Amino acid sequence: MEQRLDLRGLEPPEPLERVLDALAGMRAENCLRVLLPHEPFPLYALLRPMGYRWRVEGRVGCCELLIWSGDGPSGRAEKV
Amino acid sequence: MLNTVGLSLEQAPPIAVPFRFFLTAPLFACAGGLLLLWQGDGATLSRWTPAALAVVHLIALGFLTQVMCGALFQMLPVLAGAPVPRPEAAARWTHGLLSAGTAALSFGLLGGGSLWLDAGAALAATALALFVAATAWALLRPAGISPIVTAMRLSLAALVVTVGLGLTLVAGLSGWTDLAHFTDWVDLHLSWGLLGWAGILIMGVGFQVVPMFHVTPPYPRWLMVWSAPLALLGLTAALALTYLDLGAAALGAVALPIAAFAVFAVATLDRQHRRQRRRLDATLLHWWSAIASAVAAAVTWLMHGPDGLLGVLVLVGVGIGLPSAMLFKIVPFLSWFHLQHMQVIARRFDYRLPTMHGFIPERTARLHLGAHLTALALLVGGVTLLPGMVRAGGLALAVSSALLAGVLANAAARYRRHAAAMSDRIRGLPSL
């Protein structure tokens, strides 16, 4: 199952906090799709040690980030 | 047992890495202010007075370059995915050598003699060579081309040229080489330093932090892609023209990076005007005062206005004002980020982290803004209307810089308190 979060229009560090909160409550087999105004490089340093993987779609104007635990639903490795 | 799958310690260097630069920088600006207090308008009669040269380097090397080095050490891994190898050792050596070099060089320029001048130049050049080597290695890694990575690469190239020109000038002053059209080479050195190293990096970082911290639309793609390369093109043309003894034409080439910065300033004002959160905070006001100073400096330059006014607007209005604006957001964010990182590593989320305002309260930031604007106004008045105002401006600059040092030190102390409390809590309960 996919959970969606639109985090555009929020001041830092609220977007990072909301992502971490959502991941804390997410089941291992689910994934999180996040909409952000730009690529969240600081978030990667937090996701990586927690064992999450992600795929980035889009760069300018809007960034859509798909986050999952382990191999996840798509089976793809992290893009970064 | 801690799950460290995928952990790369280099991805988030210890907070001490950038903080040692951020906490030292205001002390050099304070020294510049005290020098102006001591020398008064004797320092600003001409750009060639020993005191003027010393103040310029205290601010450009001691404040501006320290802040930018600290920012790059932190931002390369976090914003560009390009970790610096052995960041703690690289930062320690860069910071130590740069601090010693800046002090010695400034003392040498003030009249301490060629021994201090040469030693200071050697120390500062070694520090910056070490810094360039470490960060260039990191910047080779990002495979993609992004505007911020391009800006970082070009600003580092500009730093190399700036240092090379600086060493050449010191060699000329010390009598080791005979440099024709000395003033043209000095103009080139400060153009590469302020517009190249500082200007290009400020634009590149601004493209990321302005939309991020002020929740604005992104900058236009064409501006992000072209501003840094065009600025460097203009500076390269100026270098070639100066080498060919065409100093007047070289000044014209410098108009290109000035124009790039002016367009960036206008675009920044436009982004911030369209920000989603309408609250007016000290950081925004700092940005606007720096942009106003940049525009006034550009007009002064175009109209061949007094060197003293140009120097005050560029070095104090922009060179101190704009990094201060960024530090008031970057330092609280880094503090929060490192505490959050500690929680993630320990897999413990039961400690309530402070908000960003918990590290630097808004009223403190406004107090600093007021002190900074007072210093700027007094110094502008001193170089245009009443020379006696320079001493007061110097005192105000020293006070505002000391206040900035205190604000940042307080933020660092708050971080350490929360980090210690979190560590105590983690140690006190069974591991997950």
Side-chain angles (χ1 to χ4, degrees):
Chain A
M1 194 175 87
E2 185 179 284
Q3 183 182 347
R4 287 183 73 96
L5 270 183
D6 187 344
L7 300 178
R8 292 172 293 180
L10 297 178
E11 283 184 7
E14 194 173 351
L16 304 189
E17 290 174 320
R18 297 273 286 269
V19 168
L20 294 175
D21 285 345
L23 291 175
M26 192 175 79
R27 296 162 71 96
E29 63 271 20
N30 292 348
C31 60
L32 178 67
R33 187 175 292 274
V34 182
L35 229 58
L36 292 157
H38 43 73
E39 193 167 354
F41 289 105
L43 179 62
Y44 301 156
L46 300 177
L47 294 178
R48 194 173 281 112
M50 294 168 75
Y52 287 101
R53 299 179 185 274
W54 62 91
R55 185 173 71 238
V56 178
E57 291 160 8
R59 289 287 188 283
V60 181
C62 180
C63 176
E64 199 163 312
L65 192 66
L66 183 67
I67 306 170
W68 65 92
S69 177
D71 287 331
S74 67
R76 289 193 195 185
E78 61 192 38
K79 187 169 180 110
V80 175
Chain B
M1 179 175 294
L2 289 178
N3 181 359
T4 58
V5 169
L7 173 64
S8 167
L9 289 174
E10 291 177 334
Q11 290 294 327
I15 203 167
V17 167
F19 270 24
R20 66 174 67 243
F21 294 96
F22 296 160
L23 294 174
T24 306
L27 302 179
F28 282 100
C30 187
L34 291 174
L35 187 50
L36 288 172
L37 171 65
W38 174 36
Q39 296 278 317
D41 62 305
T44 54
L45 281 173
S46 154
R47 61 186 282 206
W48 303 111
T49 65
L53 291 171
V55 170
V56 164
H57 287 82
L58 283 169
I59 293 177
L61 265 183
F63 181 85
L64 195 48
T65 298
Q66 291 260 6
V67 171
M68 293 193 300
C69 286
L72 269 176
F73 269 115
Q74 179 67 59
M75 288 188 176
L76 276 169
V78 175
L79 288 187
V84 175
R86 301 172 62 101
E88 288 158 285
R92 198 162 43 244
W93 280 99
T94 300
H95 172 260
L97 290 171
L98 183 59
S99 298
T102 301
L105 181 69
S106 301
F107 183 70
L109 288 167
L110 192 57
S114 60
L115 189 63
W116 287 99
L117 198 64
D118 295 342
L123 288 169
T126 304
L128 295 174
L130 179 64
F131 172 73
V132 169
T135 48
W137 176 258
L139 279 169
L140 286 174
R141 290 178 54 168
I145 304 292
S146 79
I148 189 167
V149 170
T150 301
M152 288 177 179
R153 287 173 175 157
L154 296 182
S155 74
L156 279 184
L159 177 61
V160 171
V161 174
T162 303
V163 171
L165 289 169
L167 288 173
T168 305
L169 290 170
V170 166
L173 284 173
S174 298
W176 292 8
T177 184
D178 189 21
L179 207 57
H181 304 289
F182 190 81
T183 56
D184 290 345
W185 288 99
V186 171
D187 287 340
L188 202 60
H189 169 64
L190 67 89
S191 295
W192 274 89
L194 292 176
L195 296 170
W197 159 232
I200 290 177
L201 186 60
I202 284 172
M203 285 195 292
V205 171
F207 291 148
Q208 182 74 30
V209 302
V210 168
M212 178 176 160
F213 286 121
H214 300 288
V215 196
T216 73
Y219 283 82
R221 184 82 186 159
W222 57 265
L223 181 64
M224 290 199 290
V225 168
W226 289 107
S227 55
L230 284 176
L232 201 76
L233 180 67
L235 290 169
T236 305
L239 178 63
L241 290 166
T242 303
Y243 184 75
L244 296 170
D245 285 338
L246 297 170
L251 273 182
V254 167
L256 192 51
I258 290 176
F261 206 72
V263 173
F264 166 75
V266 170
T268 300
L269 283 177
D270 175 67
R271 303 299 108 178
Q272 290 171 341
H273 176 69
R274 291 156 60 185
R275 66 193 187 279
Q276 292 200 0
R277 299 291 176 94
R278 305 309 298 176
R279 187 183 66 236
L280 197 64
D281 62 14
T283 307
L284 269 176
L285 294 170
H286 252 305
W287 266 96
W288 294 348
S289 78
I291 289 173
S293 297
V295 171
V299 170
T300 304
W301 180 78
L302 279 169
M303 299 181 66
H304 304 286
D307 287 335
L309 179 59
L310 194 57
V312 167
L313 289 170
V314 170
L315 286 170
V316 181
V318 183
I320 292 179
L322 220 159
S324 298
M326 292 196 184
L327 284 175
F328 279 126
K329 289 290 188 186
I330 289 173
V331 166
F333 178 77
L334 284 182
S335 301
W336 176 89
F337 175 79
H338 280 268
L339 289 173
Q340 183 67 74
H341 196 257
M342 281 176 64
Q343 285 196 325
V344 162
I345 296 300
R347 297 296 183 106
R348 292 293 301 272
F349 299 96
D350 55 340
Y351 186 87
R352 187 181 173 83
L353 296 181
T355 63
M356 278 177 53
H357 288 293
F359 294 101
I360 299 183
E362 174 65 13
R363 68 177 187 283
T364 311
R366 285 184 184 248
L367 186 64
H368 171 264
L369 173 68
H372 169 74
L373 292 178
T374 301
L376 183 60
L378 285 169
L379 286 170
V380 167
V383 295
T384 55
L385 298 169
L386 284 171
M389 288 168 76
V390 172
R391 282 192 205 276
L395 177 61
L397 178 60
V399 167
S400 69
S401 302
L403 183 58
L404 179 61
V407 167
L408 298 179
N410 197 38
R414 289 180 187 202
Y415 165 81
R416 279 196 300 272
R417 274 200 301 275
H418 285 290
M422 210 187 307
S423 293
D424 288 345
R425 180 171 293 197
I426 290 168
R427 278 195 298 270
L429 293 174
S431 58
L432 297 172

